[in-house]
mmCIF file of all heavy atoms in Angstrom:
data_model
loop_
_atom_site.group_PDB
_atom_site.id
_atom_site.type_symbol
_atom_site.label_atom_id
_atom_site.label_comp_id
_atom_site.label_asym_id
_atom_site.label_seq_id
_atom_site.Cartn_x
_atom_site.Cartn_y
_atom_site.Cartn_z
ATOM 1 N N TYR A 642 0.151 0.390 -5.866
ATOM 2 C CA TYR A 642 -1.184 0.604 -6.311
ATOM 3 C C TYR A 642 -1.853 1.840 -5.628
ATOM 4 O O TYR A 642 -3.039 1.862 -5.395
ATOM 5 C CB TYR A 642 -2.035 -0.647 -6.088
ATOM 6 C CG TYR A 642 -1.480 -1.797 -6.903
ATOM 7 C CD1 TYR A 642 -0.447 -2.584 -6.395
ATOM 8 C CD2 TYR A 642 -1.933 -2.091 -8.187
ATOM 9 C CE1 TYR A 642 0.088 -3.651 -7.148
ATOM 10 C CE2 TYR A 642 -1.389 -3.104 -8.933
ATOM 11 C CZ TYR A 642 -0.377 -3.856 -8.412
ATOM 12 O OH TYR A 642 0.172 -4.892 -9.172
ATOM 13 N N LEU A 643 -0.984 2.793 -5.271
ATOM 14 C CA LEU A 643 -1.539 3.998 -4.606
ATOM 15 C C LEU A 643 -2.518 4.709 -5.503
ATOM 16 O O LEU A 643 -3.478 5.378 -5.028
ATOM 17 C CB LEU A 643 -0.384 4.939 -4.247
ATOM 18 C CG LEU A 643 0.616 4.432 -3.227
ATOM 19 C CD1 LEU A 643 1.771 5.398 -3.011
ATOM 20 C CD2 LEU A 643 -0.052 4.100 -1.886
ATOM 21 N N ASP A 644 -2.323 4.644 -6.847
ATOM 22 C CA ASP A 644 -3.264 5.270 -7.740
ATOM 23 C C ASP A 644 -4.654 4.590 -7.666
ATOM 24 O O ASP A 644 -5.704 5.274 -7.761
ATOM 25 C CB ASP A 644 -2.748 5.229 -9.160
ATOM 26 C CG ASP A 644 -2.516 3.791 -9.693
ATOM 27 O OD1 ASP A 644 -2.002 2.990 -8.902
ATOM 28 O OD2 ASP A 644 -2.868 3.508 -10.832
ATOM 29 N N ILE A 645 -4.660 3.304 -7.430
ATOM 30 C CA ILE A 645 -5.944 2.554 -7.285
ATOM 31 C C ILE A 645 -6.622 2.984 -5.981
ATOM 32 O O ILE A 645 -7.859 3.195 -5.952
ATOM 33 C CB ILE A 645 -5.695 1.043 -7.341
ATOM 34 C CG1 ILE A 645 -4.920 0.665 -8.599
ATOM 35 C CG2 ILE A 645 -7.054 0.327 -7.275
ATOM 36 C CD1 ILE A 645 -5.565 1.066 -9.900
ATOM 37 N N ILE A 646 -5.859 3.073 -4.923
ATOM 38 C CA ILE A 646 -6.446 3.535 -3.655
ATOM 39 C C ILE A 646 -7.102 4.888 -3.837
ATOM 40 O O ILE A 646 -8.218 5.113 -3.391
ATOM 41 C CB ILE A 646 -5.329 3.596 -2.572
ATOM 42 C CG1 ILE A 646 -4.792 2.189 -2.255
ATOM 43 C CG2 ILE A 646 -5.882 4.242 -1.269
ATOM 44 C CD1 ILE A 646 -3.586 2.170 -1.327
ATOM 45 N N ARG A 647 -6.412 5.789 -4.540
ATOM 46 C CA ARG A 647 -6.961 7.124 -4.742
ATOM 47 C C ARG A 647 -8.266 7.066 -5.575
ATOM 48 O O ARG A 647 -9.240 7.726 -5.267
ATOM 49 C CB ARG A 647 -5.931 7.970 -5.484
ATOM 50 C CG ARG A 647 -6.350 9.423 -5.771
ATOM 51 C CD ARG A 647 -6.341 10.258 -4.511
ATOM 52 N NE ARG A 647 -7.661 10.343 -3.879
ATOM 53 C CZ ARG A 647 -7.864 10.758 -2.622
ATOM 54 N NH1 ARG A 647 -6.817 11.051 -1.850
ATOM 55 N NH2 ARG A 647 -9.085 10.880 -2.127
ATOM 56 N N ARG A 648 -8.247 6.260 -6.651
ATOM 57 C CA ARG A 648 -9.450 6.158 -7.501
ATOM 58 C C ARG A 648 -10.616 5.571 -6.723
ATOM 59 O O ARG A 648 -11.767 6.043 -6.871
ATOM 60 C CB ARG A 648 -9.162 5.282 -8.729
ATOM 61 C CG ARG A 648 -8.259 5.891 -9.771
ATOM 62 C CD ARG A 648 -8.284 5.187 -11.088
ATOM 63 N NE ARG A 648 -9.593 5.309 -11.733
ATOM 64 C CZ ARG A 648 -9.821 4.981 -13.001
ATOM 65 N NH1 ARG A 648 -8.852 4.520 -13.736
ATOM 66 N NH2 ARG A 648 -11.030 5.120 -13.499
ATOM 67 N N VAL A 649 -10.380 4.583 -5.901
ATOM 68 C CA VAL A 649 -11.436 3.979 -5.090
ATOM 69 C C VAL A 649 -11.954 4.946 -4.076
ATOM 70 O O VAL A 649 -13.157 5.094 -3.854
ATOM 71 C CB VAL A 649 -10.956 2.668 -4.497
ATOM 72 C CG1 VAL A 649 -12.013 2.124 -3.518
ATOM 73 C CG2 VAL A 649 -10.636 1.614 -5.558
ATOM 74 N N ARG A 650 -11.028 5.690 -3.441
ATOM 75 C CA ARG A 650 -11.434 6.685 -2.444
ATOM 76 C C ARG A 650 -12.342 7.729 -3.077
ATOM 77 O O ARG A 650 -13.344 8.171 -2.450
ATOM 78 C CB ARG A 650 -10.196 7.343 -1.866
ATOM 79 C CG ARG A 650 -10.395 8.532 -0.948
ATOM 80 C CD ARG A 650 -10.979 8.178 0.416
ATOM 81 N NE ARG A 650 -12.391 7.756 0.313
ATOM 82 C CZ ARG A 650 -12.932 6.847 1.127
ATOM 83 N NH1 ARG A 650 -12.237 6.239 2.068
ATOM 84 N NH2 ARG A 650 -14.192 6.517 1.008
ATOM 85 N N ASP A 651 -12.029 8.116 -4.303
ATOM 86 C CA ASP A 651 -12.852 9.161 -4.965
ATOM 87 C C ASP A 651 -14.193 8.604 -5.431
ATOM 88 O O ASP A 651 -15.127 9.345 -5.648
ATOM 89 C CB ASP A 651 -12.105 9.708 -6.172
ATOM 90 C CG ASP A 651 -10.876 10.596 -5.746
ATOM 91 O OD1 ASP A 651 -10.843 11.024 -4.579
ATOM 92 O OD2 ASP A 651 -10.012 10.798 -6.612
ATOM 93 N N TYR A 652 -14.287 7.271 -5.564
ATOM 94 C CA TYR A 652 -15.482 6.648 -6.116
ATOM 95 C C TYR A 652 -16.528 6.353 -5.054
ATOM 96 O O TYR A 652 -17.740 6.412 -5.344
ATOM 97 C CB TYR A 652 -15.080 5.311 -6.793
ATOM 98 C CG TYR A 652 -16.253 4.555 -7.361
ATOM 99 C CD1 TYR A 652 -16.785 4.904 -8.618
ATOM 100 C CD2 TYR A 652 -16.826 3.491 -6.654
ATOM 101 C CE1 TYR A 652 -17.855 4.216 -9.140
ATOM 102 C CE2 TYR A 652 -17.924 2.829 -7.208
ATOM 103 C CZ TYR A 652 -18.441 3.154 -8.418
ATOM 104 O OH TYR A 652 -19.505 2.494 -8.944
ATOM 105 N N THR A 653 -16.123 6.043 -3.811
ATOM 106 C CA THR A 653 -17.061 5.585 -2.820
ATOM 107 C C THR A 653 -16.872 6.226 -1.465
ATOM 108 O O THR A 653 -15.766 6.758 -1.160
ATOM 109 C CB THR A 653 -16.891 4.044 -2.641
ATOM 110 O OG1 THR A 653 -17.811 3.590 -1.667
ATOM 111 C CG2 THR A 653 -15.481 3.705 -2.160
ATOM 112 N N HIS A 654 -17.935 6.193 -0.670
ATOM 113 C CA HIS A 654 -17.858 6.672 0.703
ATOM 114 C C HIS A 654 -17.609 5.549 1.672
ATOM 115 O O HIS A 654 -17.482 5.761 2.895
ATOM 116 C CB HIS A 654 -19.091 7.415 1.115
ATOM 117 C CG HIS A 654 -19.323 8.690 0.323
ATOM 118 N ND1 HIS A 654 -18.454 9.742 0.372
ATOM 119 C CD2 HIS A 654 -20.295 9.089 -0.530
ATOM 120 C CE1 HIS A 654 -18.872 10.723 -0.411
ATOM 121 N NE2 HIS A 654 -19.997 10.321 -0.984
ATOM 122 N N LEU A 655 -17.604 4.305 1.231
ATOM 123 C CA LEU A 655 -17.272 3.192 2.131
ATOM 124 C C LEU A 655 -15.836 3.277 2.561
ATOM 125 O O LEU A 655 -14.954 3.830 1.864
ATOM 126 C CB LEU A 655 -17.495 1.851 1.393
ATOM 127 C CG LEU A 655 -18.937 1.418 1.142
ATOM 128 C CD1 LEU A 655 -18.986 0.041 0.491
ATOM 129 C CD2 LEU A 655 -19.722 1.398 2.441
ATOM 130 N N PRO A 656 -15.500 2.703 3.727
ATOM 131 C CA PRO A 656 -14.107 2.677 4.168
ATOM 132 C C PRO A 656 -13.220 1.951 3.188
ATOM 133 O O PRO A 656 -13.596 0.865 2.661
ATOM 134 C CB PRO A 656 -14.181 1.948 5.537
ATOM 135 C CG PRO A 656 -15.576 2.119 5.986
ATOM 136 C CD PRO A 656 -16.423 2.131 4.759
ATOM 137 N N VAL A 657 -12.072 2.482 2.906
ATOM 138 C CA VAL A 657 -11.114 1.934 2.008
ATOM 139 C C VAL A 657 -9.917 1.393 2.816
ATOM 140 O O VAL A 657 -9.382 2.080 3.676
ATOM 141 C CB VAL A 657 -10.616 2.956 0.971
ATOM 142 C CG1 VAL A 657 -9.483 2.373 0.083
ATOM 143 C CG2 VAL A 657 -11.765 3.446 0.132
ATOM 144 N N VAL A 658 -9.551 0.139 2.545
ATOM 145 C CA VAL A 658 -8.492 -0.536 3.292
ATOM 146 C C VAL A 658 -7.359 -0.886 2.329
ATOM 147 O O VAL A 658 -7.579 -1.332 1.238
ATOM 148 C CB VAL A 658 -9.037 -1.820 3.940
ATOM 149 C CG1 VAL A 658 -7.958 -2.463 4.823
ATOM 150 C CG2 VAL A 658 -10.303 -1.518 4.765
ATOM 151 N N ALA A 659 -6.122 -0.621 2.767
ATOM 152 C CA ALA A 659 -4.946 -0.947 1.999
ATOM 153 C C ALA A 659 -4.184 -2.079 2.689
ATOM 154 O O ALA A 659 -4.091 -2.055 3.912
ATOM 155 C CB ALA A 659 -4.023 0.249 1.840
ATOM 156 N N TYR A 660 -3.672 -3.025 1.919
ATOM 157 C CA TYR A 660 -2.893 -4.114 2.505
ATOM 158 C C TYR A 660 -1.425 -3.879 2.144
ATOM 159 O O TYR A 660 -1.024 -4.026 0.971
ATOM 160 C CB TYR A 660 -3.335 -5.468 1.939
ATOM 161 C CG TYR A 660 -2.947 -6.652 2.804
ATOM 162 C CD1 TYR A 660 -3.794 -7.762 2.940
ATOM 163 C CD2 TYR A 660 -1.706 -6.716 3.482
ATOM 164 C CE1 TYR A 660 -3.417 -8.858 3.731
ATOM 165 C CE2 TYR A 660 -1.322 -7.810 4.207
ATOM 166 C CZ TYR A 660 -2.205 -8.864 4.364
ATOM 167 O OH TYR A 660 -1.838 -9.963 5.140
ATOM 168 N N ASN A 661 -0.652 -3.489 3.133
ATOM 169 C CA ASN A 661 0.818 -3.339 3.048
ATOM 170 C C ASN A 661 1.389 -4.741 3.073
ATOM 171 O O ASN A 661 1.719 -5.214 4.166
ATOM 172 C CB ASN A 661 1.288 -2.431 4.167
ATOM 173 C CG ASN A 661 2.779 -2.227 4.232
ATOM 174 O OD1 ASN A 661 3.295 -2.084 5.366
ATOM 175 N ND2 ASN A 661 3.502 -2.252 3.132
ATOM 176 N N VAL A 662 1.582 -5.344 1.945
ATOM 177 C CA VAL A 662 1.778 -6.819 1.868
ATOM 178 C C VAL A 662 3.167 -7.227 2.205
ATOM 179 O O VAL A 662 4.086 -6.415 2.417
ATOM 180 C CB VAL A 662 1.336 -7.340 0.492
ATOM 181 C CG1 VAL A 662 -0.123 -7.074 0.232
ATOM 182 C CG2 VAL A 662 2.224 -6.780 -0.636
ATOM 183 N N SER A 663 3.348 -8.568 2.239
ATOM 184 C CA SER A 663 4.574 -9.168 2.747
ATOM 185 C C SER A 663 5.794 -8.752 1.924
ATOM 186 O O SER A 663 6.868 -8.532 2.521
ATOM 187 C CB SER A 663 4.437 -10.703 2.712
ATOM 188 O OG SER A 663 4.177 -11.179 1.396
ATOM 189 N N GLY A 664 5.682 -8.649 0.611
ATOM 190 C CA GLY A 664 6.820 -8.247 -0.187
ATOM 191 C C GLY A 664 7.266 -6.812 0.102
ATOM 192 O O GLY A 664 8.489 -6.508 0.141
ATOM 193 N N GLU A 665 6.281 -5.933 0.339
ATOM 194 C CA GLU A 665 6.620 -4.564 0.744
ATOM 195 C C GLU A 665 7.348 -4.552 2.056
ATOM 196 O O GLU A 665 8.317 -3.823 2.265
ATOM 197 C CB GLU A 665 5.317 -3.777 0.785
ATOM 198 C CG GLU A 665 4.592 -3.657 -0.540
ATOM 199 C CD GLU A 665 3.148 -3.173 -0.433
ATOM 200 O OE1 GLU A 665 2.718 -2.829 0.705
ATOM 201 O OE2 GLU A 665 2.451 -3.136 -1.450
ATOM 202 N N TYR A 666 6.842 -5.345 2.985
ATOM 203 C CA TYR A 666 7.504 -5.435 4.296
ATOM 204 C C TYR A 666 8.889 -5.983 4.182
ATOM 205 O O TYR A 666 9.843 -5.431 4.745
ATOM 206 C CB TYR A 666 6.654 -6.417 5.180
ATOM 207 C CG TYR A 666 7.212 -6.742 6.521
ATOM 208 C CD1 TYR A 666 6.981 -5.929 7.634
ATOM 209 C CD2 TYR A 666 8.041 -7.856 6.702
ATOM 210 C CE1 TYR A 666 7.536 -6.253 8.874
ATOM 211 C CE2 TYR A 666 8.595 -8.176 7.932
ATOM 212 C CZ TYR A 666 8.319 -7.392 9.025
ATOM 213 O OH TYR A 666 8.887 -7.671 10.238
ATOM 214 N N ALA A 667 9.068 -7.052 3.400
ATOM 215 C CA ALA A 667 10.351 -7.727 3.303
ATOM 216 C C ALA A 667 11.427 -6.808 2.680
ATOM 217 O O ALA A 667 12.574 -6.823 3.083
ATOM 218 C CB ALA A 667 10.257 -9.029 2.525
ATOM 219 N N MET A 668 11.032 -6.021 1.710
ATOM 220 C CA MET A 668 12.009 -5.149 1.061
ATOM 221 C C MET A 668 12.550 -4.080 2.012
ATOM 222 O O MET A 668 13.720 -3.812 2.066
ATOM 223 C CB MET A 668 11.364 -4.462 -0.167
ATOM 224 C CG MET A 668 11.128 -5.423 -1.346
ATOM 225 S SD MET A 668 10.659 -4.551 -2.853
ATOM 226 C CE MET A 668 9.121 -3.720 -2.357
ATOM 227 N N ILE A 669 11.619 -3.513 2.774
ATOM 228 C CA ILE A 669 12.055 -2.491 3.764
ATOM 229 C C ILE A 669 12.920 -3.124 4.846
ATOM 230 O O ILE A 669 13.998 -2.581 5.212
ATOM 231 C CB ILE A 669 10.838 -1.813 4.396
ATOM 232 C CG1 ILE A 669 10.175 -0.926 3.295
ATOM 233 C CG2 ILE A 669 11.272 -0.963 5.558
ATOM 234 C CD1 ILE A 669 8.845 -0.296 3.795
ATOM 235 N N LYS A 670 12.558 -4.300 5.324
ATOM 236 C CA LYS A 670 13.318 -4.966 6.373
ATOM 237 C C LYS A 670 14.733 -5.346 5.825
ATOM 238 O O LYS A 670 15.707 -5.148 6.516
ATOM 239 C CB LYS A 670 12.615 -6.229 6.837
ATOM 240 C CG LYS A 670 11.509 -5.984 7.825
ATOM 241 C CD LYS A 670 12.091 -5.441 9.102
ATOM 242 C CE LYS A 670 11.010 -5.109 10.134
ATOM 243 N NZ LYS A 670 11.564 -4.475 11.362
ATOM 244 N N ALA A 671 14.774 -5.855 4.619
ATOM 245 C CA ALA A 671 16.091 -6.254 4.035
ATOM 246 C C ALA A 671 16.999 -5.051 3.900
ATOM 247 O O ALA A 671 18.191 -5.066 4.250
ATOM 248 C CB ALA A 671 15.866 -6.942 2.707
ATOM 249 N N ALA A 672 16.445 -3.961 3.352
ATOM 250 C CA ALA A 672 17.286 -2.753 3.190
ATOM 251 C C ALA A 672 17.689 -2.141 4.523
ATOM 252 O O ALA A 672 18.797 -1.658 4.684
ATOM 253 C CB ALA A 672 16.485 -1.706 2.360
ATOM 254 N N GLY A 673 16.741 -2.232 5.501
ATOM 255 C CA GLY A 673 17.081 -1.736 6.834
ATOM 256 C C GLY A 673 18.218 -2.539 7.476
ATOM 257 O O GLY A 673 19.147 -2.015 8.127
ATOM 258 N N GLN A 674 18.150 -3.848 7.331
ATOM 259 C CA GLN A 674 19.210 -4.721 7.900
ATOM 260 C C GLN A 674 20.534 -4.461 7.264
ATOM 261 O O GLN A 674 21.598 -4.609 7.920
ATOM 262 C CB GLN A 674 18.781 -6.174 7.733
ATOM 263 C CG GLN A 674 17.661 -6.600 8.629
ATOM 264 C CD GLN A 674 17.210 -8.040 8.442
ATOM 265 O OE1 GLN A 674 17.598 -8.685 7.429
ATOM 266 N NE2 GLN A 674 16.386 -8.581 9.345
ATOM 267 N N GLN A 675 20.559 -4.053 5.998
ATOM 268 C CA GLN A 675 21.830 -3.734 5.324
ATOM 269 C C GLN A 675 22.298 -2.327 5.644
ATOM 270 O O GLN A 675 23.430 -1.974 5.245
ATOM 271 C CB GLN A 675 21.624 -3.860 3.811
ATOM 272 C CG GLN A 675 21.411 -5.267 3.314
ATOM 273 C CD GLN A 675 22.621 -6.145 3.517
ATOM 274 O OE1 GLN A 675 23.762 -5.707 3.399
ATOM 275 N NE2 GLN A 675 22.378 -7.425 3.891
ATOM 276 N N GLY A 676 21.504 -1.554 6.315
ATOM 277 C CA GLY A 676 21.886 -0.181 6.641
ATOM 278 C C GLY A 676 21.768 0.772 5.464
ATOM 279 O O GLY A 676 22.321 1.873 5.452
ATOM 280 N N TRP A 677 21.037 0.368 4.449
ATOM 281 C CA TRP A 677 20.895 1.174 3.245
ATOM 282 C C TRP A 677 19.839 2.278 3.369
ATOM 283 O O TRP A 677 19.820 3.252 2.600
ATOM 284 C CB TRP A 677 20.511 0.303 2.056
ATOM 285 C CG TRP A 677 21.588 -0.677 1.659
ATOM 286 C CD1 TRP A 677 22.925 -0.583 1.933
ATOM 287 C CD2 TRP A 677 21.428 -1.886 0.962
ATOM 288 N NE1 TRP A 677 23.616 -1.660 1.439
ATOM 289 C CE2 TRP A 677 22.706 -2.494 0.831
ATOM 290 C CE3 TRP A 677 20.295 -2.558 0.415
ATOM 291 C CZ2 TRP A 677 22.890 -3.713 0.166
ATOM 292 C CZ3 TRP A 677 20.492 -3.767 -0.236
ATOM 293 C CH2 TRP A 677 21.798 -4.337 -0.334
#
């Protein structure tokens, strides 16, 4: 949802927070453990 982050950033001056969620974490960890 990087496109959404960009759209929100352009829309408001409030701080924008992204949640790098569990599935994103798990995919990187799994691929890292496999050496891929």
Side-chain angles (χ1 to χ4, degrees):
Y642 298 85
L643 297 177
D644 60 318
I645 307 302
I646 295 172
R647 181 73 263 163
R648 288 194 68 168
V649 172
R650 172 72 290 149
D651 291 341
Y652 179 81
T653 180
H654 294 298
L655 287 183
V657 175
V658 185
Y660 200 143
N661 176 213
V662 298
S663 59
E665 298 165 4
Y666 173 89
M668 289 191 299
I669 291 174
K670 280 295 178 185
Q674 289 177 347
Q675 292 294 325
W677 294 337

